[in-house]
Amino acid sequence: MKNLLMASASLALLAMAAPVTAKHHAKDGAEMTDASLQSVLSHERRAGDKARDMYRHPAETLSFFGVKPEHMVVEYGPGGGWYTRVLAPYLAASGQYIAINADSSSSSFPDRAREARTKGWPESFPETAAKWTGVDADKILAFESDEMPDDMKGKVDRILIFRSLHGMLNGNRADSELRALRDMLADDGMVGVVQHRAKKDASYAMSNGTKGYLKQASVIALFELNGFELVSQSEINANAKDKSDYDRGVWTLPPVLTLGDSDKAKYEAIGESDRMTLLFKKRP
């Protein structure tokens, strides 16, 4: 019941949140990061990933988030590993990469998904990521959000959430997950968010997360509810061509192209979704 009440509060914010203005606005095309990151981004292992750099701007995004090679960095919901293949090698020498997935014991997971998650994802992911990245598996950590060791809590420099907030909301676990992530963060740590962005005047049906899109003001309000405050925002990952009003949601666009060959050229010309890029810190 508690989780359902918290979920209801989150969904209410999507409908009612008022616009919030950041204290600072990053310039478009934030300053490029160091040579070691450029080396990672240009590595041949990313041959299949580079086509998306023009939409995801990894160098500029990580620079805006202030990620440094000596940091302890959590990637929430690494999925197919697009950002894992950047972060794990970048942090391998002097930092720490940690993958976090949602608590699979939560009743918000369907039985089949819960079973898949509990069959050893924290144990298997480091080996998978090692194959993706060339980084030794023993240098890669993975936990579910409720299982991170107590001696690591309060020590994470950056938590990065790439296009995963709609999944949290759709699964009725946004509040519990964000509060668990907050516990991991150092006092001066920050959370970087990239999320598909709905239009300011979008209907609830188009902006409640079921289509993949969320209103930027709603995301800011959700974080504020869970103990964070906005530090800065950027238009690094904006795409004005995206109308964000598709019946099949954000998956209409690349890379999914859920409609197949139907109007494929049209959607490829639009490119990947319009995305907000936000930076938060813990609120005392």
Side-chain angles (χ1 to χ4, degrees):
M1 179 62 71
K2 180 179 179 182
N3 285 341
L4 290 175
L5 290 173
M6 293 167 68
S8 297
S10 297
L11 291 172
L13 283 169
L14 295 174
M16 298 187 297
V20 180
T21 303
K23 294 181 179 179
H24 306 284
H25 292 264
K27 294 180 179 179
D28 291 346
E31 183 179 353
M32 299 293 281
T33 50
D34 57 73
S36 61
L37 179 55
Q38 293 303 319
S39 177
V40 169
L41 292 172
S42 62
H43 196 281
E44 61 184 10
R45 76 172 63 88
R46 295 192 68 251
D49 291 340
K50 290 178 184 178
R52 298 185 188 176
D53 287 1
M54 64 185 292
Y55 302 114
R56 300 186 175 186
H57 310 99
E60 296 91 337
T61 299
L62 295 179
S63 176
F64 174 71
F65 290 155
V67 176
K68 299 179 180 179
E70 67 271 18
H71 276 169
M72 179 182 289
V73 177
V74 162
E75 181 186 11
Y76 183 89
W82 195 92
Y83 256 107
T84 308
R85 287 185 283 274
V86 175
L87 291 166
Y90 181 56
L91 300 166
S94 55
Q96 178 64 63
Y97 172 85
I98 305 171
I100 295 286
N101 260 336
D103 172 12
S104 63
S105 65
S106 168
S107 60
S108 65
F109 277 96
D111 290 343
R112 185 164 51 185
R114 190 181 310 120
E115 181 182 3
R117 284 286 184 86
T118 54
K119 286 184 175 178
W121 176 84
E123 291 76 30
S124 64
F125 182 81
E127 293 290 346
T128 300
K131 294 175 183 177
W132 288 340
T133 64
V135 176
D136 289 343
D138 60 4
K139 292 185 177 181
I140 297 171
L141 300 178
F143 305 101
E144 291 193 353
S145 58
D146 63 326
E147 296 178 346
M148 189 164 182
D150 287 341
D151 62 359
M152 297 182 70
K153 291 180 179 179
K155 296 182 179 178
V156 172
D157 297 294
R158 294 292 184 275
I159 296 173
L160 307 180
I161 307 175
F162 297 109
R163 306 174 312 280
S164 295
L165 286 174
H166 60 283
M168 289 188 198
L169 284 160
N170 293 337
N172 292 330
R173 54 182 179 271
D175 296 289
S176 59
E177 290 298 293
L178 290 179
R179 291 177 188 186
L181 293 174
R182 188 182 186 281
D183 288 343
M184 300 174 192
L185 205 60
D187 288 343
D188 60 349
M190 295 190 183
V191 179
V193 174
V194 177
Q195 175 61 39
H196 311 296
R197 180 165 53 191
K199 301 301 183 186
K200 291 181 180 180
D201 60 352
S203 68
Y204 176 77
M206 284 292 175
S207 62
N208 66 6
T210 58
K211 304 289 188 181
Y213 292 100
L214 299 172
K215 291 183 180 180
Q216 184 162 316
S218 299
V219 170
I220 294 169
L222 176 64
F223 271 81
E224 289 184 339
L225 175 68
N226 287 290
F228 298 91
E229 63 181 80
L230 184 65
V231 174
S232 191
Q233 58 187 308
S234 173
E235 292 299 300
I236 294 168
N237 295 300
N239 180 2
K241 295 179 181 179
D242 177 17
K243 303 305 180 185
S244 64
D245 60 355
Y246 319 106
D247 289 341
R248 299 289 291 273
V250 71
W251 305 282
T252 304
L253 299 177
V256 178
L257 292 168
T258 192
L259 297 180
D261 290 332
S262 178
D263 288 328
K264 182 177 180 180
K266 169 186 172 181
Y267 295 122
E268 287 182 330
I270 294 171
E272 295 193 16
S273 66
D274 178 46
R275 293 161 186 167
M276 64 187 87
T277 305
L278 308 173
L279 187 63
F280 297 92
K281 66 179 181 179
K282 288 169 68 172
R283 189 174 69 245

